[in-house]
Amino acid sequence: MKFLAISLSLLMLGAGTQLYAQSIYKSNLPVKPAKGVTVAGTVECDGKPVSGVVVSDGYEVTKTDKKGAYYLKSKKQNPQVFITAPAGYEPVREDAVPQFWADFTLPADKYERHDFRLNKVDNKKHATILITDVHLANQRNDVEIFKTDYVDKIRNVVKEYEAQGIPVYTLNLGDASWDINWYGHDFKIDKFRKTLNDANYPTAVYSVMGNHDNDPHTPCDENTDFNASLPYQKAMGPRYYSQNIGDVHYIFLDNIHYKNMPEKEEVYYDIKSKRNYIEDFTPEQLDWLRKDLANVPYDTPLVIAMHGPIFRWKALGASKKWTEITPDVMIRTEKKSTLELLDILKPYKEIHTVSGHTHKQCTVKLPADVINLTEHNISGTSGAWWRTRATGLKNLCPDGTPTAFEVFDFNGPELIWTHKTFEYPYERTFTAWDMNKVKEYFSTNEEVQTFRRLYPNWTDYADLPENYIYVNLWSWDPDGKLTITENGKELPIEMVVEENPIYTLSYPLRMSLWINNWNSSRYKNPSKFQLFRAKASTADAPVEISWTDNFGRETKETLNRPADFKLHQLND
């Protein structure tokens, strides 16, 4: 039944949307499929066969032979066949998305051929841009901001690398669309790809699925997760796959298991479903991963992209539902499948997982005796779903960090990463407040008083002792060093999990009071995340703040006190 569902779903997709079948190239190189082979084809570069290229349908994994031919006895449980480009090559592309897959067009028992082309490229040294949670939905001017301001920022970064002869790639870590707005706003996942092309996006884009990239009209049954992913797969590619770029093996996983249970009443524009999900790794996906990694030596750096992060620092207020893996780190996703993933990855010497979903910035490093893994949870491109920008302020994430993208610089296997904000100068890495003035503002501003009366759980800072300095460090890393100095004396610093006053004023206050949405459960409980603070000895002495990251790069700022805290300063 599942094989038939794939074919029918793909045909239905073609009826109302643009087809995005990838490699439709027809090669002149010969293939000679043996009995039982249902999928075969070739991989070539400049008309010549490329041997040793890994090819898979997400279940079976094979390699091209000396003639560039591959053969799969595929049951076509997934709707595509895809290649893993080897080092020194990249898939041909005619738009933002590379042509590394081809859609099946015939039933599971019928033979079909699909050919692929590669271009040669020196990508031993390369850069990778990480974006996530773009959440385009045709609202709050989101499409226009992304296509112009944000893509232009990325384009300028790409130009700097290209001037040095360094190729650049982009990983989109999911939630490029927003399922509840697929139909009412006419912005399904294929429109995200169109937006990339309309913006002339400057690099190849490899993507993973987010929970909001599923079709919310999919009925709830045993095949919901698979069927809801079909529009995404048609537009953006397989749910899980791999690519080699230079010396690095990139793996793309889907850790969103979409349930989409029904609702009694319409939620929004003919959507009558919860759009709910769990975060885990399916058995077939992990089985494929074992086969994929059988071709990858243990000293190869791994970058593993997924939507939902798998770890969180316990000190940052991790949920009690999460499972402790070390005294400091909690497993955030479903425990059994996450432990199975870690067991598969453990032999590798360097692993970086990259994720989105939380719209927050967090770097987690696990102890080497557990696994050589660093997780990079990246700030959402949309921030708080484009809402703070829509009220005239900076685009901020729920932890108060600015919207941003991360850049990985690989020189062979060596990695340096950099956090770059969309709406602040790149050289800034934090913002700091004189909490004496924050307290004064919150106690005297009439809108804040109204907000606190309607939502009394939010902080008013009245009980905070005098002379505290708070710092929101945008790209904190446990191996970096933050110092706060007053009159030449270094002050003790503590990490706290509290509200970010800039975010409070930019999002919940405006979204509740300004549209009279005063009784919304969304704003009942405060948003809290990591901040750093130190207690100064005086109210008026300037303090020097310095952040040195784990690569030795230092940024400094002087906070002259008393330092006013006013609404217009939120745009500084």
Side-chain angles (χ1 to χ4, degrees):
M1 290 297 292
K2 194 174 187 180
F3 309 143
L4 178 60
I6 293 174
S7 299
L8 290 177
S9 296
L10 292 177
L11 288 173
M12 290 173 66
L13 283 169
T17 61
Q18 182 178 355
L19 285 175
Y20 281 115
Q22 279 309 288
S23 181
I24 56 174
Y25 175 69
K26 302 298 182 184
S27 174
N28 291 321
L29 297 176
V31 295
K32 296 179 180 179
K35 184 177 180 180
V37 170
T38 57
V39 184
T42 59
V43 181
E44 64 180 65
C45 177
D46 295 330
K48 298 178 181 179
V50 183
S51 64
V53 178
V54 175
V55 186
S56 179
D57 63 353
Y59 286 82
E60 304 302 322
V61 176
T62 189
K63 290 183 179 181
T64 56
D65 59 23
K66 292 181 180 179
K67 297 181 179 180
Y70 72 90
Y71 304 94
L72 282 171
K73 293 182 178 180
S74 174
K75 296 179 181 178
K76 303 181 185 177
Q77 290 122 306
N78 284 325
Q80 300 123 335
V81 58
F82 59 86
I83 62 170
T84 298
Y89 292 90
E90 58 187 25
V92 167
R93 68 184 181 97
E94 296 177 359
D95 69 354
V97 181
Q99 297 182 5
F100 66 92
W101 84 87
D103 292 331
F104 294 141
T105 58
L106 298 176
D109 60 346
K110 300 297 183 182
Y111 166 75
E112 55 189 292
R113 174 172 175 168
H114 296 285
D115 302 314
F116 298 91
R117 291 176 296 165
L118 297 171
N119 289 326
K120 265 190 171 296
V121 60
D122 181 2
N123 54 16
K124 190 175 183 68
K125 180 183 288 188
H126 69 273
T128 304
I129 291 171
L130 309 173
I131 62 172
T132 186
D133 296 276
V134 184
H135 277 293
L136 297 185
N138 273 335
Q139 63 179 359
R140 306 185 188 107
N141 204 30
D142 53 356
V143 176
E144 191 63 25
I145 295 169
F146 177 72
K147 283 199 312 184
T148 55
D149 296 2
Y150 283 21
V151 172
D152 283 348
K153 283 287 184 76
I154 291 172
R155 195 186 328 277
N156 290 336
V157 170
V158 172
K159 286 179 179 178
E160 292 177 4
Y161 284 102
E162 289 179 340
Q164 304 171 60
I166 300 174
V168 186
Y169 307 85
T170 294
L171 306 190
N172 159 42
L173 303 177
D175 280 2
S177 62
W178 197 346
D179 50 359
I180 199 168
N181 297 303
W182 271 33
Y183 295 96
H185 296 194
D186 189 29
F187 203 96
K188 303 179 181 68
I189 186 62
D190 61 321
K191 289 290 185 70
F192 175 70
R193 181 165 176 177
K194 180 179 184 300
T195 300
L196 291 174
N197 294 329
D198 288 347
N200 193 25
Y201 194 87
T203 79
V205 177
Y206 295 98
S207 294
V208 295
M209 281 197 76
N211 51 294
H212 291 293
D213 295 327
N214 286 282
D215 185 351
H217 276 184
T218 307
C220 180
D221 59 30
E222 61 183 3
N223 293 319
T224 298
D225 184 52
F226 177 83
N227 290 332
S229 74
L230 289 173
Y232 170 90
Q233 294 191 73
K234 172 62 68 174
M236 305 304 295
R239 292 176 297 162
Y240 53 92
Y241 58 98
S242 65
Q243 298 290 316
N244 294 298
I245 304 177
D247 293 340
V248 185
H249 189 62
Y250 288 81
I251 300 166
F252 302 82
L253 299 178
D254 174 15
N255 66 343
I256 300 296
H257 195 146
Y258 200 60
K259 297 292 187 180
N260 206 33
M261 295 172 65
E263 284 277 20
K264 293 181 180 179
E265 298 180 356
E266 182 178 85
V267 179
Y268 183 68
Y269 201 87
D270 198 34
I271 293 176
K272 299 178 181 178
S273 59
K274 295 181 183 296
R275 301 171 294 115
N276 58 318
Y277 56 91
I278 60 174
E279 296 175 46
D280 67 2
F281 301 94
T282 58
E284 62 266 24
Q285 190 172 185
L286 295 178
D287 288 344
W288 164 83
L289 180 60
R290 290 184 181 91
K291 296 175 183 178
D292 176 76
L293 288 175
N295 300 296
V296 182
Y298 290 151
D299 60 353
T300 302
L302 303 182
V303 173
I304 305 174
M306 63 193 77
H307 184 58
I310 53 178
F311 300 112
R312 184 62 89 199
W313 291 110
K314 188 176 180 180
L316 300 185
S319 168
K320 293 179 180 179
K321 297 180 181 179
W322 299 347
T323 305
E324 185 176 285
I325 187 171
T326 74
D328 296 323
V329 178
M330 309 288 281
I331 291 180
R332 188 182 180 281
T333 53
E334 192 272 329
K335 179 182 178 183
K336 182 180 178 181
S337 66
T338 302
L339 291 177
E340 188 173 350
L341 173 67
L342 296 182
D343 185 62
I344 295 170
L345 300 176
K346 191 168 184 177
Y348 286 86
K349 293 182 178 179
E350 183 176 7
I351 307 157
H352 295 268
T353 58
V354 293
S355 59
H357 192 47
T358 67
H359 294 231
K360 299 172 183 175
Q361 184 75 17
C362 183
T363 303
V364 175
K365 293 185 175 180
L366 273 72
D369 60 344
V370 176
I371 189 172
N372 294 307
L373 187 150
T374 301
E375 174 157 74
H376 308 256
N377 191 211
I378 311 299
S379 300
T381 300
S382 66
W385 304 271
W386 303 101
R387 288 173 175 136
T388 63
R389 173 79 179 250
T391 62
L393 301 177
K394 295 287 190 184
N395 217 3
L396 299 180
C397 295
D399 59 349
T401 60
T403 57
F405 56 101
E406 199 108 321
V407 182
F408 279 12
D409 282 279
F410 275 105
N411 186 359
E414 302 299 322
L415 171 61
I416 294 176
W417 60 84
T418 307
H419 184 76
K420 294 181 179 289
T421 63
F422 280 110
E423 300 190 10
Y424 286 87
Y426 293 151
E427 58 269 19
R428 287 194 63 181
T429 59
F430 57 82
T431 189
W433 315 292
D434 177 350
M435 293 305 291
N436 290 346
K437 287 297 185 178
V438 173
K439 289 173 59 177
E440 179 182 305
Y441 184 92
F442 272 64
S443 66
T444 59
N445 181 270
E446 293 185 2
E447 277 196 344
V448 172
Q449 293 301 299
T450 300
F451 176 73
R452 284 273 302 125
R453 186 164 58 253
L454 298 174
Y455 300 97
N457 289 339
W458 288 74
T459 299
D460 63 0
Y461 304 102
D463 296 332
L464 183 69
E466 296 297 304
N467 303 334
Y468 264 99
I469 311 300
Y470 272 46
V471 178
N472 181 18
L473 182 56
W474 300 337
S475 54
W476 175 76
D477 185 294
D479 291 337
K481 181 175 177 57
L482 176 68
T483 61
I484 302 176
T485 305
E486 180 192 26
N487 293 324
K489 180 181 179 182
E490 190 171 320
L491 304 175
I493 297 174
E494 61 178 330
M495 179 194 291
V496 292
V497 179
E498 295 186 12
E499 297 161 38
N500 185 314
I502 287 183
Y503 181 73
T504 300
L505 300 180
S506 301
Y507 182 72
L509 184 149
R510 291 184 168 210
M511 292 303 296
S512 59
L513 298 190
W514 285 25
I515 59 175
N516 294 321
N517 193 13
W518 63 270
N519 198 30
S520 173
S521 60
R522 177 180 297 167
Y523 312 114
K524 293 286 186 183
N525 297 309
S527 300
K528 296 185 177 183
F529 205 66
Q530 77 182 41
L531 296 171
F532 297 88
R533 73 180 186 183
K535 184 170 174 47
S537 61
T538 67
D540 55 6
V543 294
E544 301 289 337
I545 304 167
S546 168
W547 164 246
T548 303
D549 68 17
N550 56 318
F551 302 110
R553 298 172 297 192
E554 184 182 20
T555 54
K556 293 182 178 181
E557 180 179 315
T558 299
L559 183 66
N560 292 308
R561 302 161 62 236
D564 284 345
F565 184 86
K566 295 180 179 178
L567 197 57
H568 74 270
Q569 292 177 318
L570 304 182
N571 278 321
D572 287 351

